[in-house]
Amino acid sequence: MNIKISKINNKYFFIIKKKQITTNNGNLLEVKNKIHANLLINDFHEKKKLKDPYSLINLTFFSCNLNTSEKNKIKNKILELLDFDVILYRSFEDIELIKLMNNKTNSLIDKFSEIFQSKITLRSSILDRSSINNINFKHFLDKIDNFQLTVIYKLAILTKSVILTYFFFKKKINDNTLYKLSNIEYTYQQKRWGVVEEQKVIDINNIETLKKISFFFKIIN
């Protein structure tokens, strides 16, 4: 597959048989830097990466393919996840676990609340929504590009924490911290009760997925 790169107005496009490569929605496949473009050329020739939804090439196609309707659905999903953010849940009988979560996450919750001028309440039940005025956060989502929106969406789905994802996006925490903080309760329970082999496989896959999204985030910047 002979694919060539074409640079136009500081954007990189991909040509095959004299035609620009497009997505399923008919959008042009385009990236913002040469490193990203060259890595995509390599991915086009690797079947394993073509089948991996979190490979650089598939995350790029996902981003470029988004139309207005799809972007709005993604933003609404992110806002819904924010209402049920995992680090806001505090309905535990174990006082030590509550103390641990307060110590590790309350400062980030307060900072997020300050940045977006929203009053956030902790969740006393798994079914509760947190009281969040998310208008300002919605404005933030409206301003970012498709690649950045993809990063926040995919990480929020994976970690179940929009708040932690935001601070990763702003480079205030790294991917390891993102994973640890979004799994505080789970890790705490693991230490008490152990973990089954099937769960170990899931954990490894989740970490690998987070690393892939983190790599995509690094490449698009």
Side-chain angles (χ1 to χ4, degrees), residues 102-112 167:
N102 288 344
N103 181 51
K104 296 292 186 180
T105 66
N106 278 10
S107 61
L108 292 173
I109 294 169
D110 291 343
K111 187 65 177 177
F112 186 90
F167 286 110

Side-chain angles (χ1 to χ4, degrees), residues 5-46:
I5 299 172
S6 173
K7 183 180 180 183
I8 304 173
N9 296 329
N10 295 318
K11 290 184 178 181
Y12 296 82
F13 301 87
F14 303 85
I15 311 295
I16 184 170
K17 295 181 180 179
K18 298 182 180 181
K19 292 184 178 180
Q20 289 183 311
I21 295 178
T22 58
T23 68
N24 289 337
N25 284 337
N27 301 331
L28 290 173
L29 182 67
E30 60 181 75
V31 299
K32 297 183 289 185
N33 65 72
K34 191 172 183 179
I35 294 175
H36 193 168
N38 288 333
L39 287 172
L40 280 191
I41 292 294
N42 294 333
D43 279 13
F44 269 112
H45 296 92
E46 294 191 35

Side-chain angles (χ1 to χ4, degrees), residues 166-203:
Y166 170 78
F167 286 110
F168 170 81
F169 180 83
K170 287 297 184 178
K171 302 180 182 179
K172 301 301 182 182
I173 61 174
N174 60 27
D175 52 358
N176 289 325
T177 302
L178 172 60
Y179 184 81
K180 288 178 181 178
L181 292 181
S182 61
N183 286 278
I184 290 177
E185 179 199 356
Y186 170 64
T187 303
Y188 180 86
Q189 300 296 353
Q190 269 189 328
K191 289 179 179 178
R192 292 191 64 185
W193 309 108
V195 59
V196 296
E197 290 300 318
E198 292 84 353
Q199 188 60 48
K200 288 183 180 179
V201 175
I202 294 173
D203 293 345

Side-chain angles (χ1 to χ4, degrees), residues 112-145:
F112 186 90
S113 178
E114 177 186 340
I115 291 170
F116 294 105
Q117 299 177 350
S118 58
K119 184 177 180 181
I120 299 177
T121 58
L122 300 178
R123 295 164 53 213
S124 58
S125 165
I126 197 168
L127 299 177
D128 284 349
R129 284 178 179 265
S130 298
S131 298
I132 299 176
N133 178 2
N134 53 34
I135 294 176
N136 290 330
F137 187 70
K138 172 65 164 56
H139 291 332
F140 160 76
L141 295 177
D142 289 338
K143 293 177 182 178
I144 62 179
D145 64 31

Side-chain angles (χ1 to χ4, degrees), residues 63-79:
S63 303
C64 292
N65 189 55
L66 294 174
N67 58 33
T68 301
S69 175
E70 290 165 342
K71 285 191 288 187
N72 286 334
K73 288 180 180 178
I74 284 176
K75 292 172 189 176
N76 288 334
K77 181 60 178 179
I78 293 171
L79 295 175

